[in-house]
Amino acid sequence: MPSTARFLMSLGNVFFSLVLGAGALAFSLFFFPTSTLQLYKGARAAGETLLSGAWPAQYEPVLRALADERLIVYMGFVLATRITVGLLVLLGSKWMGTKPAREEFPL
């Protein structure tokens, strides 16, 4: 497979994961609001724990941007959907009796 096609498939996979993660978060917000609220509270506690350290003032804006509870919860959903899709692809390939293509890199 040409390297351009690999790049585009990889980029499409990342984009698909971001969209699927957003859909999973919306599903969770709509059907499980109390559980999602608990996720947000836990993410806020984790962010505040991270920010409570004695960080130099130059790093604090970056840490605050990365420790935002909405971002933490969204990235958690994206990671969960990537793992789920990866497992489904693995199970589907085992069920169909094919092995996923292994990438070979020239030495």
Side-chain angles (χ1 to χ4, degrees), residues 18 21-22 24-26 29 36-48 51 63-79:
L18 291 172
L25 179 57
L29 283 168
T36 309
L37 179 62
Q38 291 302 316
L39 288 174
Y40 278 112
K41 287 181 180 180
R44 178 178 292 160
E48 288 301 322
L51 292 172
L63 290 173
R64 289 203 179 275
L66 294 176
D68 181 40
E69 69 258 10
R70 293 172 296 174
L71 183 63
I72 293 171
V73 171
Y74 174 60
M75 282 298 123
F77 273 93
V78 169
L79 286 173

Side-chain angles (χ1 to χ4, degrees), residues 7-45:
F7 173 74
L8 291 176
M9 286 188 61
S10 173
L11 192 61
N13 187 8
V14 170
F15 178 73
F16 178 69
S17 296
L18 291 172
V19 171
L20 200 59
L25 179 57
F27 180 83
S28 178
L29 283 168
F30 189 72
F31 289 107
F32 307 107
T34 49
S35 298
T36 309
L37 179 62
Q38 291 302 316
L39 288 174
Y40 278 112
K41 287 181 180 180
R44 178 178 292 160

Side-chain angles (χ1 to χ4, degrees), residues 49-57 59-60 63:
T49 302
L50 177 69
L51 292 172
S52 67
W55 298 101
Y59 298 132
E60 192 169 339
L63 290 173

